[in-house]
């Protein structure tokens, strides 16, 4: 498998996959699945749900692989499919902004959050544990780079709602990242 | 603000998780299934195109040579032997000859009592050397039995009236035919409608006799029986009612049905030449694989919080079948089918026929084996017959390609589409599953004498 990996670029890999070659299809999956699971994990409310999103995304990838014409990176194209699949599932399942099964981030005890604030996994875990509504908006705005207007169209919400959800997500993340700041803010409020 | 976003963005780019082993297995299974489905569709369409193309070619060819149609008395050659009459059908390439539609020779003189009085007209169309086709000559008085006049330079049109009741042997021969006269004749026949009409109405004497006295069993007999088997692909569209919805079932039943076999025995009655009505009895089978790991979402509409966007509380759970979260379970159903339909023939009495077959069926559930999901307890339970509808109505339509192997035995190939009117599950069950099937029926039809 490593021999194939070294010899094939994205275009060649896609061509081999379109011919129905099992090894190439598995290679493509193994190359991109871990990162795509990470993408889906940011949108899902659990690990299992993230795997569901990713599985559906890869089924879509292989079904539409003939549409990738070599323009841009294959990874970026697959990632876009993973994001869209996650959003479609979220829109279909949750016509809501709060999930009763998700523990709000401000209720998570500190000992469940890694102390090392530079850790990628920790940061993503913080994002994962945001409430569903603001989590989706934060992912789309801060990480994927959509504007609030575009987010409004994607999620069928107002741009103003998108802004308020994003600010809510930021406040929650800041609280976890900077607890001292939270204490200071609270003491200022109470005079 | 941008600093925080950049921090998370950078982390997201580097963030990855190791997926479970079963995920690639599921993806691969889905890829293979879609490849099989695509291949099946391509083979089916190719086969249908070849059949239809071959049929059109055959019909066009046999229309130009009606004597080739076995069941068409006007074109029958072999049947002539039954009447002690031989029919020669050849176009020897000779110049300056009249061009008959057929040359007939009565080999054995017969008693006038046994041979019906038949009058016929043989019209010969003259083709001159420069390939011009002229109008037929005036008919000669009847009674002449040697009716061909040979002109060494041109062929002559001869219309003659011949009575076959004579005991004398009558021979009508053509001495010669212009080499390309046949083609010329056809070309001219197309251009000249009068000539074309004349050529169409020419009925050689022997064939008139055949037309009057010979009928195929298919025309005489009105009853036939049909026995068939059908490899069947099923599709079932799932919908969720009320407060329940299966979301994560990406390998839902409609995508993971298995090939099954349906069977049928039918009796048909032909009440007009082109149509028959049929009924019978059959067996319909349906089999599907379901994932043992499912996610179910329940919308509890009693607790809606009104806000900028409506908020709905959702409960969700994953479950396993018998503790196995990675395998599949198989459901199998069988129905006894009572079909009622009609069959419309486009080319009756042809060796190759196409017919349209709409039908409705009443289906009685015979057996059900597998698992059904309990939306209250969130577990799978064994299916009981009472969970499904006892009677189902289905509608279907098919196009049948029929080939006459023998006079009273036909082979039929019928692609058929069938749709169940209601969900196979009984009403209180929130999951609605509408079954559709495509069959490739392979049947034998025996026409009862």
């Amino acid at each position: 498998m490593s021999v194939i990996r070294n010899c094939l670029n994205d275009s060649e890999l896609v061509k081999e996959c379109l011919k129905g070659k099992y090894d190439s299809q598995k290679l493509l999956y193994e190359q991109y699945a871990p990162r795509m699971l990470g993408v889906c994990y940011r949108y899902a409310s659990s690990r299992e749900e993230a795997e569901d999103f990713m599985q559906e995304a890869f089924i879509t990838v292989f079904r539409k692989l003939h549409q990738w014409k070599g323009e841009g990176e294959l990874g970026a194209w697959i990632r876009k499919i993973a994001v869209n699949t996650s959003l479609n599932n979220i829109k279909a399942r949750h016509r809501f902004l709060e999930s009763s099964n998700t523990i709000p981030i401000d209720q998570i005890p500190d000992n469940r959050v890694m102390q090392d604030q530079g850790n990628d996994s920790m940061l993503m875990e913080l994002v994962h544990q945001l409430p569903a509504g603001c989590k989706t908006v934060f992912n789309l705005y801060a990480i994927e780079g959509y504007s609030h207007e575009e987010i409004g169209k994607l999620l069928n919400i107002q741009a103003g709602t998108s802004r308020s959800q994003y600010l809510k997500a930021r406040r929650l993340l800041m609280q976890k990242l900077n607890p001292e700041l939270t204490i200071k803010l609270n003491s200022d409020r109470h005079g | 603000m941008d600093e925080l976003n950049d921090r998370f963005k950078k982390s997201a780019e580097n963030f990855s998780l190791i997926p479970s082993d079963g995920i690639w297995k599921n993806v691969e299974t889905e890829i293979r299934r879609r490849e099989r489905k695509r291949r099946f569709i391509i083979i089916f369409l190719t086969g249908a195109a070849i059949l239809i193309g071959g049929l059109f070619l055959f019909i066009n060819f046999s229309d130009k040579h009606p004597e080739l149609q076995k069941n068409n008395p006007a074109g029958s050659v072999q049947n002539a032997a039954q009447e002690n009459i031989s029919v020669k059908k050849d176009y020897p390439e000779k110049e300056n000859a009249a061009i008959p539609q057929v040359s007939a020779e009565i080999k054995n003189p017969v008693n006038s009592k046994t041979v019906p009085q038949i009058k016929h007209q043989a019209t010969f169309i003259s083709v001159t050397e420069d390939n011009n086709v002229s109008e037929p000559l005036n008919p000669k008085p009847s009674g002449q039995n040697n009716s061909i006049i040979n002109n060494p330079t041109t062929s002559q049109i001869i219309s003659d009236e011949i009575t076959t009741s004579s005991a004398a042997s009558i021979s009508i021969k053509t001495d010669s035919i212009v080499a390309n006269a046949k083609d010329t004749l056809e070309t001219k026949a197309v251009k000249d409608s009068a000539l074309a009409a004349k050529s169409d109405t020419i009925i050689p004497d022997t064939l008139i006799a055949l037309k009057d006295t010979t009928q195929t069993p298919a025309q005489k007999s009105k009853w036939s029986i049909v026995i068939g088997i059908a490899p069947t692909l099923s599709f079932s569209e799932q919908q969720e009612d009320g407060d329940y919805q299966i979301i994560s079932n990406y390998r839902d039943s409609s995508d993971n049905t298995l090939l099954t076999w349906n069977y049928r025995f039918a009796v048909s009655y032909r009440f007009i030449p082109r149509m028959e009505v049929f009924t019978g009895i059959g067996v319909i089978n349906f089999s599907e694989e379901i994932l043992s790991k499912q996610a179910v979402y329940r919308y509890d509409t009693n607790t809606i919080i009104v806000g900028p966007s409506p908020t709905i509380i959702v409960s969700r759970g994953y479950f396993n079948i018998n503790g196995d979260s990675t395998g599949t379970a198989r459901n199998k159903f069988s129905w006894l089918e009572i079909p009622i339909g009609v069959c419309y023939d486009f080319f009756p009495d042809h060796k190759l026929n196409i017919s349209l077959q709409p039908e409705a069926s009443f289906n009685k559930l015979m057996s059900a084996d597998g698992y059904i999901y309990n939306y209250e307890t969130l577990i799978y339970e064994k299916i009981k017959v009472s969970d499904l509808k006892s009677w189902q109505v289905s509608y279907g339509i098919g196009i049948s390609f029929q080939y006459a192997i023998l006079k009273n035995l036909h082979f039929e190939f019928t692609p058929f589409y069938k749709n169940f009117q209601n969900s196979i599950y009984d009403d209180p069950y929130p999951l609605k599953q509408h079954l559709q099937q495509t069959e490739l029926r392979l049947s034998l039809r025996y026409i009862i004498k």
Side-chain angles (χ1 to χ4, degrees):
Chain A
M1 195 68 74
S2 59
V3 175
I4 301 174
R5 188 194 300 270
N6 291 335
C7 293
L8 292 178
N9 58 24
D10 283 347
S11 296
E12 289 164 357
L13 183 61
V14 167
K15 272 184 197 166
E16 294 293 305
C17 290
L18 289 172
K19 286 178 189 172
K21 293 199 174 169
Y22 169 82
D23 285 343
S24 301
Q25 289 169 346
K26 192 171 181 196
L27 175 62
L28 186 143
Y29 170 82
E30 286 174 350
Q31 255 184 310
Y32 293 103
R35 267 191 288 160
M36 294 309 118
L37 184 56
V39 169
C40 294
Y41 187 68
R42 285 190 278 112
Y43 292 90
S45 48
S46 70
R47 169 82 183 222
E48 288 108 337
E49 191 177 62
E51 287 186 342
D52 286 348
F53 290 176
M54 191 202 74
Q55 182 170 324
E56 191 177 329
F58 266 96
I59 290 171
T60 306
V61 163
F62 283 107
R63 195 173 77 232
K64 295 187 177 179
L65 197 57
H66 61 283
Q67 294 179 7
W68 185 74
K69 301 295 180 191
E71 298 161 359
E73 278 189 23
L74 179 61
W77 183 76
I78 294 176
R79 177 179 157 151
K80 193 175 176 188
I81 291 177
V83 170
N84 287 338
T85 304
S86 302
L87 286 178
N88 290 338
N89 277 286
I90 288 169
K91 279 193 288 185
R93 297 180 195 191
H94 316 297
R95 286 176 293 144
F96 62 97
L97 297 177
E98 300 290 334
S99 167
S100 63
N101 277 354
T102 304
I103 302 172
I105 190 170
D106 53 356
Q107 293 177 15
I108 299 171
D110 285 340
N111 59 6
R112 290 184 61 176
V113 176
M114 288 185 230
Q115 295 305 314
D116 181 2
Q117 296 188 359
N119 190 298
D120 293 336
S121 298
M122 186 274 293
L123 292 177
M124 291 302 101
E125 188 67 27
L126 288 179
V127 172
H128 170 72
Q129 288 172 357
L130 284 170
C134 54
K135 168 167 65 180
T136 306
V137 172
F138 182 83
N139 272 308
L140 289 172
Y141 183 79
I143 299 176
E144 306 298 341
Y146 287 94
S147 67
H148 288 298
E149 287 71 27
E150 288 167 335
I151 293 169
K153 285 179 188 171
L154 277 172
L155 300 181
N156 293 324
I157 58 175
Q158 301 288 332
T161 306
S162 174
R163 279 190 200 91
S164 62
Q165 290 295 315
Y166 166 69
L167 291 172
K168 179 182 174 184
R170 276 185 61 87
R171 179 172 55 81
L172 292 169
L173 289 170
M174 290 289 287
Q175 284 174 5
K176 275 298 163 188
L177 290 172
N178 290 308
E180 296 81 11
L181 177 63
T182 308
I183 293 169
K184 183 178 185 307
L185 286 171
N186 284 338
S187 65
D188 287 347
R189 197 173 297 137
H190 291 113
Chain B
M1 256 199 198
D2 291 335
E3 193 180 324
L4 183 71
N5 291 350
D6 289 342
R7 191 171 170 193
F8 277 95
K9 194 170 182 177
K10 197 175 171 186
S11 295
E13 284 169 10
N14 298 329
F15 179 62
S16 62
L17 292 170
I18 306 297
S20 308
D21 291 336
I23 294 180
W24 167 243
K25 190 178 160 190
N26 295 335
V27 171
E28 188 210 349
T29 304
E30 180 65 18
I31 294 170
R32 300 288 163 255
R33 188 200 63 80
R34 287 186 186 272
E35 278 173 6
R36 273 198 309 272
K37 194 175 176 180
R38 194 168 51 233
R39 231 176 277 141
F40 174 80
I41 290 171
I42 289 171
I43 291 170
F44 177 79
L45 288 175
T46 305
I50 291 171
L51 269 171
I52 292 171
L55 180 69
F56 277 129
L57 282 172
F58 176 81
I59 289 169
N60 279 337
F61 183 71
S62 60
D63 279 348
K64 288 176 184 172
H65 303 280
E67 61 277 9
L68 292 178
Q69 291 171 9
K70 191 170 185 178
N71 292 335
N72 183 352
S76 176
V77 173
Q78 289 80 352
N79 287 336
Q82 300 173 5
E83 303 292 335
N84 286 329
I85 299 167
S86 68
V87 176
K88 270 193 288 185
K89 227 183 40 56
D90 53 2
Y91 300 89
E93 291 187 358
K94 294 182 183 177
E95 292 183 352
N96 303 326
I99 305 160
Q101 291 297 313
V102 68
S103 69
E105 179 181 337
I106 302 175
K107 284 184 177 174
N108 302 316
V110 295
N111 191 299
S112 60
K113 288 182 184 175
T114 59
V115 174
Q117 295 280 333
I118 297 164
K119 290 190 178 179
H120 72 282
Q121 185 168 21
T123 303
F124 296 91
I125 301 173
S126 166
V127 178
T128 59
E129 282 181 340
D130 56 358
N131 291 332
N132 287 324
V133 178
S134 55
E135 291 294 325
L137 294 176
N138 290 330
K140 297 204 166 198
S142 62
Q144 289 193 1
N145 49 16
N146 188 354
S147 54
I148 296 178
I149 298 172
N150 237 354
N151 186 317
T153 58
T154 63
S155 303
Q156 291 186 357
I157 296 173
I158 298 165
S159 293
D160 199 359
E161 214 172 352
I162 300 170
T163 306
T164 58
S165 62
S166 166
S169 173
I170 295 174
S171 164
I172 301 171
K173 295 180 185 175
T174 59
D175 286 332
S176 61
I177 295 174
V178 175
N180 62 345
K182 177 173 171 288
D183 292 334
T184 307
L185 174 64
E186 287 174 355
T187 305
K188 291 293 180 181
V190 168
K191 289 178 185 176
D192 189 334
S193 59
L195 286 175
K198 279 193 181 296
S199 67
D200 286 341
T201 56
I202 291 173
I203 300 175
D205 50 357
T206 57
L207 298 178
I208 291 175
L210 292 169
K211 187 176 181 185
D212 287 341
T213 62
T214 302
Q215 283 187 333
T216 64
Q219 290 175 324
K220 267 188 175 173
S221 173
K222 296 187 176 182
W223 291 93
S224 56
I225 58 175
V226 182
I227 300 174
I229 59 171
T232 304
L233 270 184
S234 300
F235 309 91
S236 63
E237 185 186 322
Q238 285 188 339
Q239 294 168 350
E240 294 81 34
D241 257 3
D243 297 337
Y244 295 93
Q245 191 167 2
I246 291 179
I247 303 294
S248 186
N249 187 12
Y250 39 76
R251 278 181 63 193
D252 62 12
S253 299
S254 65
D255 282 342
N256 207 26
T257 57
L258 304 173
L259 186 74
T260 53
W261 289 84
N262 289 353
Y263 308 93
R264 174 173 291 196
F265 171 82
V267 174
S268 69
Y269 175 74
R270 186 173 294 275
F271 54 97
I272 56 176
R274 277 185 185 261
M275 275 187 76
E276 58 183 12
V277 63
F278 63 87
T279 186
I281 198 165
V283 175
I284 294 176
N285 291 308
F286 168 55
S287 184
E288 62 176 354
E289 273 189 346
I290 51 175
L291 268 186
S292 59
K293 178 183 173 186
Q294 306 271 353
V296 175
Y297 287 77
R298 178 180 175 180
Y299 294 88
D300 185 354
T301 54
N302 291 326
T303 54
I304 297 175
I305 301 171
V306 178
S309 302
T311 303
I312 300 173
I313 305 296
V314 171
S315 62
R316 182 192 67 198
Y318 283 93
F319 51 84
N320 303 324
I321 293 179
N322 300 328
D324 175 17
S325 65
T326 60
T328 56
R330 188 173 289 188
N331 289 348
K332 291 182 192 174
F333 308 96
S334 290
W335 291 269
L336 183 72
E337 180 194 28
I338 303 170
I340 299 172
V342 292
C343 192
Y344 178 82
D345 292 333
F346 288 99
F347 307 106
D349 304 327
H350 280 50
K351 198 171 174 71
L352 209 55
N353 175 35
I354 297 179
S355 66
L356 192 66
Q357 293 183 6
E359 72 178 39
S361 296
F362 301 92
N363 309 292
K364 174 78 175 77
L365 181 71
M366 286 199 300
S367 68
D369 180 39
Y371 290 90
I372 192 170
Y373 182 59
N374 187 319
Y375 283 75
E376 297 292 337
T377 59
L378 303 186
I379 59 172
Y380 269 119
E381 297 167 343
K382 282 291 274 181
I383 283 181
K384 298 183 290 294
V385 172
S386 56
D387 291 324
L388 297 113
K389 283 196 170 67
S390 180
W391 279 95
Q392 280 274 4
V393 175
S394 64
Y395 305 100
I397 191 161
I399 296 179
S400 182
F401 301 89
Q402 299 164 8
Y403 178 76
I405 305 171
L406 300 171
K407 282 184 188 173
N408 55 354
L409 187 66
H410 294 184
F411 170 76
E412 296 181 1
F413 170 70
T414 310
F416 196 89
Y417 167 77
K418 183 184 307 182
N419 180 37
F420 277 53
Q421 186 184 20
N422 296 310
S423 167
I424 61 176
Y425 290 104
D426 212 351
D427 283 331
Y429 194 62
L431 177 66
K432 307 295 177 194
Q433 188 165 353
H434 291 262
L435 182 61
Q436 300 168 65
Q437 291 191 326
T438 53
E439 298 174 347
L440 294 179
R441 287 187 190 159
L442 306 166
S443 313
L444 282 175
R445 174 186 292 266
Y446 177 72
I447 300 164
I448 301 169
K449 285 189 177 179

